[in-house]
Amino acid sequence: MKKQKVIILGNELLDKQDSAAIHELQEGLHHMDQFPVYSPDLSWFEQRVAAEKQQIRKKLIRDLSLFLIIALIILTGIIVSLFQMPVLFIFLQLVTTIFIVLYTSVSLLKKVSNG
């Protein structure tokens, strides 16, 4: 923080500056009160909320559809590999398990060493 120099003024000069500052602040506040304030109708807010809800609902449906499609593709691949190539299925299961254990261990070690 920058240090400011303090200048001690005489009481008379200080009082004049204070009263001038107070007067300017009051005039500024008076001018601010004269500006018209526009607040929209309740129906405008209701329309905004309804539009936002509809947008959120569309995004949710899109995300769920994408999730289900990807999940079906993954499950189909796993089932096909289980019945067509059981050795490959077991290998993938082992590699995935080892990867998850290693990834979790590394991330926990990073968290402990940083924290």
Side-chain angles (χ1 to χ4, degrees), residues 27-96:
E27 283 184 18
L29 290 174
H30 180 68
H31 288 303
M32 290 286 291
D33 288 338
Q34 291 178 354
F35 285 116
V37 176
Y38 171 73
S39 61
D41 294 336
L42 180 61
S43 62
W44 181 81
F45 287 109
E46 289 173 348
Q47 289 173 352
R48 297 281 299 183
V49 169
E52 189 67 27
K53 281 184 177 181
Q54 186 178 15
Q55 186 178 13
I56 290 171
R57 191 173 293 125
K58 283 182 182 179
K59 185 178 178 186
L60 176 67
I61 290 171
R62 187 194 72 212
D63 290 346
L64 282 176
S65 300
L66 184 64
F67 173 77
L68 288 175
I69 290 170
I70 292 172
L72 287 174
I73 290 171
I74 291 172
L75 287 176
T76 302
I78 288 173
I79 291 171
V80 166
S81 69
L82 174 63
F83 289 115
Q84 297 295 325
M85 296 176 263
V87 175
L88 179 65
F89 176 78
I90 294 171
F91 176 75
L92 285 175
Q93 295 298 315
L94 288 173
V95 168
T96 304

